[in-house]
Structures are given as C-alpha cells and as structure tokens.
Amino acid sequence: MSDRTQPYGPNTAAIRAFLVRFAGLGAHDRAAVVAQYAARVHGRVYHAAESALATAIERSGREPLQQALSGPLLQLVRRADAPQTTEPTEETALDGLDPVAEPALAALLALLVRDLLDDAHMEQLYGAFSSVIGLSDLPR
C-alpha cells in the first residue's frame, strides 16, 4: 500500500478530484451541503449505508487508506481562527472545524470504497454533495 501514485487505493483519481473541487466551494455551497447532510443523517437508511461503508472498508483492508484521508481533509475544513493543537483529544477533535467536515468525511469515505458500495448506499453517503460536486463529474 505504499504506491505513491495511488495513495487512496483504486479510487484515488475520484478522491483527488473531489478534494480539488471541495477546496473551491464557497460558503453558500458548504452551507447547502451541511443542510442536506443534516436532513439525511439521522434516518435508518443512512445508518444502513454507514454500516455498509464500515464493512466495505474493513473487508477491503483499506483502513490505512482511510487514515491517509484525514490530513488533506483537515487542511480543508480547519477554520482560520481555530487554535492550533499538536494532539487533539476526542473532546477537542471537532473544535475549530467547519461544520462541513462531517459530510465531507462521509463523502470521502464513500469514494474510498466506491467500487464496493451499491448505488443506494453511495447515494446516501455522498448525496449531500450531489448538488455541488456531482458524483458523475468525478473519475470512475
């Protein structure tokens, strides 16, 4: 798994494209994503998709790739006024992060195992971003 050309596994191209597009989103688009995510995250269908996601990551052995996503994501969601800490605790892990962090993590993890998730689960996990970064616009 030390292939530098594929740091996120077989879906590296889609993840990189998502990160580039995500970095360019303005406040209005980020707020729309947060609203979409809030509308879907508490339902049974979403929780089933999360369960399928966890299973896919575990069974595929992509846990180390999951960890590799945290650095780029944190760079994109840390608020400019957030205090810099060297080792965040569980209580402070989300302090100083843009509210879009959680939906972005869900979307990135779904992209990580896109080849292993069915379309319904992918839609649930990625759907908050559909209106601003279409899944069909990302490399397959």
Side-chain angles (χ1 to χ4, degrees), residues 3-135:
D3 182 358
R4 292 185 187 270
T5 62
Q6 298 292 318
Y8 309 119
N11 300 308
T12 294
I15 290 169
R16 284 181 171 158
F18 175 84
L19 288 169
V20 168
R21 299 270 312 269
F22 178 63
L25 292 182
H28 176 75
D29 286 336
R30 285 178 176 231
V33 167
V34 171
Q36 284 288 323
Y37 182 75
R40 66 178 57 221
V41 72
H42 299 294
R44 279 186 283 169
V45 176
Y46 189 85
H47 289 291
E50 281 186 317
S51 180
L53 173 67
T55 299
I57 291 171
E58 182 181 333
R59 288 188 179 164
S60 66
R62 295 185 191 168
E63 293 98 336
L65 304 179
Q66 175 183 354
Q67 296 302 317
L69 290 171
S70 63
L73 178 59
L74 283 174
Q75 288 177 342
L76 296 173
V77 297
R78 183 170 284 132
R79 292 190 332 244
D81 62 345
Q84 297 295 322
T85 58
T86 54
E87 290 193 38
T89 65
E90 190 173 320
E91 296 84 34
T92 64
L94 296 178
D95 288 352
L97 297 184
D98 187 307
V100 79
E102 193 172 339
L105 179 60
L108 280 169
L109 293 177
L111 288 171
L112 182 68
V113 290
R114 181 181 187 182
D115 55 314
L116 305 173
L117 290 176
D118 66 36
D119 290 343
H121 289 145
M122 190 67 199
E123 162 53 29
Q124 282 300 309
L125 297 162
Y126 188 86
F129 278 92
S130 292
S131 66
V132 295
I133 304 173
L135 191 56

